Structures are given as structure tokens and as C-alpha cells.
Amino acid sequence: MIAEAQRLQSVQEYYFSKKLQEITNMKTDIPIISLGIGSPDLQPHPDVIEELIKSSRNGINGYQSYRGIPEMREAMASFYKNKFDVDANPSTEILPLMGSKEGIMHISMAFLNEGDKVLIPNPGYPTYSSVTELVQAEPLFYDLKNENDWLPDFDQLEKLAEQKPKIMWLNYPHMPTGAKAPKDVLRKLVEFATRHNILIVNDNPYSFILNDEPTSILGIEGAKDVCIELNSLSKTFNIAGWRVGMVIGKESFINSILKVKSNMDSGMNFAIQKAATKALLVDDSWYDELTKIYAERRRIIWEIADILNVKYNPNAAGMFIWAKLPEGKDDKKFIDEILYNKKVFITPGSIFGSNGEGFIRFSLCAPVEKLIEVKRRLEA
């Protein structure tokens, strides 16, 4: 028997991979409605689709530059300047990615050696810890708690810094809780990273979903010396399956990541790059329309949460609603009861870490008609 690599011993199959297969295999008399994953169900801007079609017909189908076409990098730079007031050199400080999820692996491979320590939020995106373990580094979980508005505890961070972590994963607006980090908190994080020689990687795909204050950590003074930022077009522009993201930071950081990326893929499809460029340049009416749609969905999700007697923060951002169960309720048992009895799938909070136990997460990626049907089933 050929044994799998030891690095896989501490890594499990992604929760949604297993759970969605379980749901697929369920025999039901009515369709299961998923409020689980954050996969946008809305269409991209019509101009983006038109650009994809037009560029697909021009015959440029070969391998593309690892750095992406200049036009797209310039659009990414303009996007960051217009939306975050952050200057980034499109030639040296921006690297397009096939989705920001691949960037998590590229960054980890570029900067982590076996045994290096990594600060990871609890709760947080599970890929931060799984990739850390895949590259045989060591996770150091830092607490985010409801009573602290899901913001880092700097006293705890200082104690963890004694173990000399090399990377800190950050994610605001935060997934799964929707918490926003005030600029003074980001400033303290930059000072912390500078003091302890830590590379902060801020994962920032949710800034334009139900959020009046889009913020980039790169807008904080001194951040470029110790921070890089991941971003994605998946959520903001409804092109999740197209796999378009970016990492932004100073040239030396980008060059290190490029060493990994250039050995793992052969460049993004030309037509997708042209369409992504068009998406990055849409006017503000696009964001306004998106906000209206998600706000209406959120209103119904709040009603669903009230039916289930779970508590939520109405000021949270992003495409999820994070809600606290009544005391003593097990989140996985709670969602399974709803799944099997009402044929509605909601995500248990504990998959995001121990501090997510006793919470559940609703996705806003379902049309109003389906959300009304969820209400009907839960009230029945």
C-alpha cells in the first residue's frame, strides 16, 4: 500500500466538501435550501459578460504572463486608489491570483519553513490553519470573542509573540462574524507586527458587501513594510467560479510569492482577465444595487433568526449573518435537526474554531423567494 504524505495526517477534508456531498446523497421529498456557503448567486455586470464573450472570440487562448496583463494590474491599482486611497505600483506591487484562496497557499509556501509559527484567528477561515499544517508550520490561535466585538486581544497577542511567529492571518471585515476593524485597531496591529517582525496578511474580500466603510490595512502608515493584502473579485463582482484575485504589497514580498506561483500555474485565461478588468472599473451604481439586494435578503434572514431565537449583530458587514444560539445548544446538532426536519442547511459556527461553538452562520447567497420558503418551513 502506498501511504499518503505525513503532512496530510493533521489535515481533514474541507467541511463543506463533505457536508455538501452528504446533502447531495440525502433522499428528500422537497429540495434542500442551502444557506451554507458564500457562493454568489447573482449575475456579473452585463458589460463584464459582454467583455468575456468578445475577448473569447479574438483567438488569444495561449498561456498568459504569470503577472497578468498590464491592463488588469492597472485596473487593480485604480480600484485600490479609488476605493481605499491606497497607492500600489501596478508593475511591481500587484500580483493577480487565480482566486485569493490559492494565494493563501502561495504566501505560506513563500515565507514559512517547517516549524515556523503562524498566528491564526479563532474563529476564522479554516484554510488558514489547514494550509499552515500542509506546509508543516505550527498554528498559534489567537482569540476573537463576542464580548470583545470579535477583535484581537492585544495582551494575548503580546504573549503569543514571545514564540516568534512569522505570519499573522487577519481578515476584516471578518468571516464568519462580519465584525469590522476600526482604523485604530488596524494601526495597533501594524505597530505590533513592526515591533515583532511579523508579516501580516490581511484577507479582504468582503469590504463591499453591506459595508459603508471599506478599509484596507495598506492605508495605515507603515503597513507596507510589514503587511500584504489579499483580495478577491468573487464576492464583490459575482464571479466566484472565474477564480480572480490579487495580492498587493511591496515589491520584495510580491517577488517572493511570484517564485511560488510561477511554478504552480501558467497564467490566467486572457478573456477572464479582460472581463475582470471591466469589472474593476464599474461605476458606483453597481455597488449601490448590490447593497440593496443584500440588504433585503439580510432583513429576511434576521426574521429567520428571530424564528429560531438566535441573536445577531445588525451592524455586521459581509455576506453572512453570524448568530448566537441559546445557552447550552450544540451548533452541529442544531443545524442537523433543521437540515433533516426542515430541509434547510445552515453552517455550524464550530467549523471555524472553538470560539465559534454555540453560533451558526447564514449565507445571504440565496434569492428572496427561497428565503421566504425557509421562513415558511421553519414556521410550519
Side-chain angles (χ1 to χ4, degrees):
M1 177 179 174
I2 299 174
E4 67 181 18
Q6 289 184 355
R7 69 175 64 89
L8 293 181
Q9 298 305 306
S10 59
V11 178
Q12 302 300 315
E13 184 182 355
Y14 192 45
Y15 171 82
F16 286 113
S17 173
K18 292 189 295 184
K19 197 67 181 179
L20 294 178
Q21 187 57 51
E22 176 189 334
I23 290 169
T24 299
N25 294 338
M26 285 177 61
K27 297 189 186 327
T28 66
D29 51 347
I30 56 174
I32 293 170
I33 298 176
S34 176
L35 304 181
I37 64 174
S39 180
D41 62 309
L42 299 168
Q43 285 295 304
H45 192 288
D47 291 350
V48 175
I49 298 291
E50 284 302 313
E51 184 61 49
L52 180 69
I53 295 168
K54 183 177 77 173
S55 296
S56 295
R57 287 175 173 155
N58 73 6
I60 303 177
N61 295 312
Y63 294 129
Q64 299 298 306
S65 164
Y66 299 107
R67 289 184 178 270
I69 61 174
E71 186 181 351
M72 182 171 67
R73 282 187 274 110
E74 287 161 7
M76 288 172 171
S78 295
F79 176 81
Y80 256 73
K81 181 62 178 176
N82 295 336
K83 301 303 180 187
F84 299 118
D85 196 24
V86 168
D87 291 305
N89 186 320
S91 298
T92 59
E93 296 184 323
I94 295 178
L95 181 63
L97 302 169
M98 292 182 184
S100 57
K101 190 173 185 178
E102 77 151 20
I104 297 171
M105 174 62 84
H106 291 350
I107 291 165
S108 297
M109 292 183 71
F111 295 104
L112 294 173
N113 296 310
E114 183 177 348
D116 281 344
K117 309 291 197 303
V118 182
L119 289 166
I120 296 173
N122 175 14
Y125 186 34
T127 299
Y128 303 145
S129 55
S130 60
V131 167
T132 296
E133 290 170 344
L134 280 171
V135 299
Q136 297 178 294
E138 182 181 334
L140 297 177
F141 293 99
Y142 65 92
D143 288 325
L144 305 178
K145 293 187 176 179
N146 192 25
E147 54 267 31
N148 195 38
D149 298 323
W150 307 105
L151 296 170
D153 177 339
F154 282 91
D155 289 336
Q156 184 198 29
L157 285 181
E158 288 295 336
K159 290 177 183 174
L160 290 171
E162 294 173 5
Q163 299 186 53
K164 300 191 181 307
K166 195 170 184 182
I167 284 180
M168 177 178 185
W169 289 100
L170 198 68
N171 169 220
Y172 288 103
H174 182 245
M175 198 292 298
T177 70
K180 295 177 278 191
K183 283 192 174 179
D184 64 316
V185 171
L186 295 178
R187 196 169 292 111
K188 286 177 70 175
L189 284 162
V190 170
E191 292 168 356
F192 167 77
T194 303
R195 195 162 54 249
H196 295 288
N197 195 32
I198 297 169
L199 175 63
I200 286 181
V201 188
N202 187 44
D203 190 11
N204 192 13
Y206 298 105
S207 274
F208 299 95
I209 308 294
L210 298 173
N211 183 24
D212 295 331
E213 304 168 293
T215 303
S216 166
I217 198 169
L218 296 178
I220 303 298
E221 185 177 356
K224 273 194 178 179
D225 291 328
V226 290
C227 301
I228 55 179
E229 185 158 283
L230 283 169
N231 216 315
S232 167
L233 276 67
S234 296
K235 311 300 194 283
T236 304
F237 300 108
N238 300 331
I239 57 172
W242 298 21
R243 310 311 301 141
V244 185
M246 68 190 95
V247 58
I248 298 180
K250 71 178 183 179
E251 184 175 5
S252 61
F253 292 151
I254 295 298
N255 287 342
S256 295
I257 299 165
L258 181 60
K259 287 181 185 178
V260 175
K261 176 178 171 56
S262 62
N263 282 288
M264 295 185 71
D265 65 54
S266 297
M268 193 185 304
N269 174 272
F270 176 79
I272 287 178
Q273 292 190 66
K274 293 286 285 184
T277 300
K278 184 70 74 173
L280 288 158
L281 300 176
V282 299
D283 61 37
D284 286 344
S285 63
W286 168 256
Y287 304 94
D288 295 340
E289 185 59 29
L290 209 59
T291 296
K292 287 179 188 174
I293 294 169
Y294 280 125
E296 175 62 9
R297 292 177 177 191
R298 179 178 63 182
R299 182 188 66 77
I300 302 171
I301 291 281
W302 286 346
E303 294 175 356
I304 291 169
D306 291 338
I307 293 169
L308 294 174
N309 191 31
V310 297
K311 306 300 180 187
Y312 51 87
N313 176 7
N315 298 314
M319 57 169 46
F320 303 105
I321 301 300
W322 182 249
K324 183 171 175 51
L325 297 174
E327 206 63 40
K329 287 277 188 181
D330 180 285
D331 52 288
K332 286 187 175 177
K333 289 181 180 177
F334 186 88
I335 69 105
D336 275 347
E337 286 175 6
I338 294 171
L339 174 60
Y340 299 134
N341 296 328
K342 304 293 185 179
K343 307 303 185 287
V344 175
F345 173 53
I346 304 164
T347 304
S350 56
I351 72 163
F352 304 106
S354 59
N355 289 339
E357 291 176 4
F359 291 83
I360 57 175
R361 191 196 73 174
F362 303 89
S363 167
L364 299 180
C365 298
V368 164
E369 304 77 45
K370 285 192 175 182
L371 297 180
I372 291 172
E373 171 62 12
V374 169
K375 273 189 66 180
R376 188 195 67 75
R377 290 184 191 182
L378 294 176
E379 289 173 327

